[in-house]
Amino acid sequence: MSSIELYKRRVSRIGAFLYAQLMVGRVLKTIDLQRFQILQERYRLADPRPHGYSKYLDIRRWMTVALWHCARLGLHTSQPLRILDLGTGAGYFPYVCALYGHKVVALDLDTVPMYNEICKSLKVDRRAWRVEKFQHLP
């Protein structure tokens, strides 16, 4: 990869980061933060090991990450797409994608109650499903 291509990639990442920082406040205004605060209280003592579930209660941080991913992928400016999010976790990425007008279906296992409640709170179209090779998706 040439030095010019590396420079362009770095500038793109920085631009996406700045965009995410700028937009996170606007995105948080679309969420019932009082309801989310109840979830934070309920799960604040959840053991962060082995998978670190409780860290996803930091909604500002993870919405910023989701915005960054959307910007890096160009989803914030693209025409509406159909997106399948495998292993959605708390559902921040599909939530942000839906804000940009995309039709999103999120798949994940139904094993972490906190994820289930966050997705429900965000109204993410999340379906419980185990992805296995040679098996059709729902």
Side-chain angles (χ1 to χ4, degrees), residues 7 66 104-105:
Y7 176 77
V104 186
V105 174

Side-chain angles (χ1 to χ4, degrees), residues 20-90:
Q21 293 293 322
L22 177 69
M23 294 301 295
V24 71
R26 292 181 188 175
V27 169
L28 291 177
K29 288 180 183 177
T30 67
I31 297 168
D32 182 352
L33 293 177
Q34 287 180 331
R35 183 174 177 187
F36 197 83
Q37 202 168 30
I38 293 168
L39 295 176
Q40 288 173 319
E41 276 300 309
R42 182 177 301 143
Y43 292 107
R44 69 182 167 80
L45 297 178
D47 189 2
R49 296 171 285 126
H51 303 290
Y53 300 132
S54 63
K55 71 182 179 184
Y56 295 106
L57 293 170
D58 184 352
I59 191 169
R60 175 173 283 278
R61 175 179 182 210
W62 295 105
M63 278 297 178
T64 303
V65 170
L67 282 160
W68 180 73
H69 286 301
C70 280
R72 287 202 54 221
L73 294 169
L75 297 173
H76 65 305
T77 57
S78 75
Q79 295 294 319
L81 300 170
R82 292 175 48 197
I83 298 172
L84 175 62
D85 184 28
L86 301 176
T88 198

Side-chain angles (χ1 to χ4, degrees), residues 10-20 68 71:
R10 174 168 274 177
V11 168
S12 174
R13 283 183 170 168
I14 292 170
F17 173 78
L18 294 174
Y19 175 81
W68 180 73

